[in-house]
Every structure is written in C-alpha cells, then in structure tokens.
Amino acid sequence: MALGKDYAAQECSIARALEVVGERWTLLVVRDALYGVRRYNDFLVHLGIPRAVLAARLQALVAAGVLDKRPCAEAPRRHEYVLTERGEALWPALRALGLWGRDHIPGTAPLRYFRHARCGTELGLVGDCPACGGPVPVADVEMLPGPGLDPEPADPVSRALARPRRLLQPVDLDPV
C-alpha cells in the first residue's frame, strides 16, 4: 500500500495539526521565529536549510496564519516574518518537545534554559511557572544558554541567540 501524502482521511486533531506543522523543517522555522529570527536570510543562515525549502515553508506558514509577512522597517524591499497569535500558541508544544529531546535522547546536554522573566523560575513542561502558578506569556519567557550550547558559534544569528534574551524579541546582529 502506498504511503499517503496527507492526513485527510484521519479524524484526529494531531493529524490536522501535522497538516500545518508536520513537514520537515517547519517546527524549526517556528522555533527560530519564537527565538526572534524574522528575516529570510537569518533563517537561512541559522538553519542551514535549502533556499527553496525555506521559501516554501515560510509561504505555507503565512498561508496557515502561523506567521505574518511584513515589510522590513529599515529595508523597504525586504520582509520579515513575525509569529501571529496562532504561531505563538505553538510554544507549549515546542517547549515540551524540546524537553522530551533533552530527557530521552542520550547525550543531549541542555542547550537552552527558559525561565519566567518576572520571577526567574525555570519554566515547567509546557511553559508554565511553578512559582507563580499558571502559564507564562511567550513574551515573558527569557532564554538563557545551557551547557550544551556552543559558546563560540560560527554564524552571527547563533551568536545573537547564545546571549540571554526574551522570546519574540527581534534578533539584533549588531548589539551595542
């Protein structure tokens, strides 16, 4: 029996979600958008993804309402990709998937820690704050480097993401 190309016959919310975010690279594009990557070239450099694949994934995420494509303020002929509310809602799933990878894939040292910026407590499984009780808005999550993160990455996007920062803040490749 041939493997189908979609999940149309599946009556399942996971299958419907995979129709939007189940392609290879898609969740990594969303992850980078959560980290503050917004420009096509920055996604390209950080992910090492083929250009055609990145263009297709960005187009599909915009069409699905996960990303919004906007003109860049300082470069009028260029665009940036910003997560929509629908895209930000993927944070708990990505958080849980990252922890699963850290805890269940042998030899995976923590690459990043995520904490509640207001109180400094490390987040729970789905992005909740154990100290404050309840979910933490994505914009109130601070990302810090962990011991498994390369301290001297080669590309400028990875260097910017290796510094403590809040999620969703645009990547600044030239910090003062």
Side-chain angles (χ1 to χ4, degrees):
M1 177 176 219
L3 182 63
K5 294 188 188 261
D6 62 28
Y7 304 102
Q10 296 286 322
E11 292 186 26
C12 169
S13 58
I14 294 171
R16 286 194 297 270
L18 287 172
E19 285 292 322
V20 176
V21 298
E23 291 284 335
R24 182 179 175 147
W25 295 105
T26 301
L27 286 177
L28 297 179
V29 170
V30 173
R31 176 208 62 193
D32 275 14
L34 282 161
Y35 289 178
V37 177
R38 291 184 170 189
R39 296 183 182 156
Y40 178 88
N41 283 337
D42 294 342
F43 283 109
L44 196 66
V45 166
H46 189 244
L47 293 171
I49 183 174
R51 287 180 180 275
V53 173
L54 177 59
R57 295 304 177 267
L58 291 171
Q59 183 179 20
L61 289 168
V62 168
V66 173
L67 292 174
D68 186 26
K69 182 178 179 180
R70 301 177 184 166
C72 236
E74 58 272 356
R77 285 186 270 210
R78 296 190 181 185
H79 292 89
E80 62 181 12
Y81 297 88
V82 180
L83 285 167
T84 62
E85 186 176 326
R86 177 181 266 189
E88 288 180 24
L90 286 165
W91 163 243
L94 286 171
R95 168 78 177 144
L97 188 59
L99 287 175
W100 182 87
R102 182 177 82 185
D103 295 343
H104 297 285
I105 305 297
T108 306
L111 299 174
R112 291 180 168 78
Y113 292 108
F114 298 93
R115 68 181 182 193
H116 189 188
R118 186 166 37 128
C119 73
T121 301
E122 187 171 356
L123 299 182
L125 178 64
V126 293
D128 56 315
C129 180
C132 297
V136 176
V138 178
D140 291 340
V141 174
E142 186 176 27
M143 178 173 71
L144 301 120
L149 197 64
D150 181 356
E152 296 183 29
D155 72 89
V157 177
S158 293
R159 285 193 298 275
L161 295 178
R163 295 187 288 270
R165 57 182 291 105
R166 283 199 185 201
L167 295 185
L168 302 178
Q169 288 187 339
V171 169
D172 182 7
L173 299 182
D174 299 313
V176 178

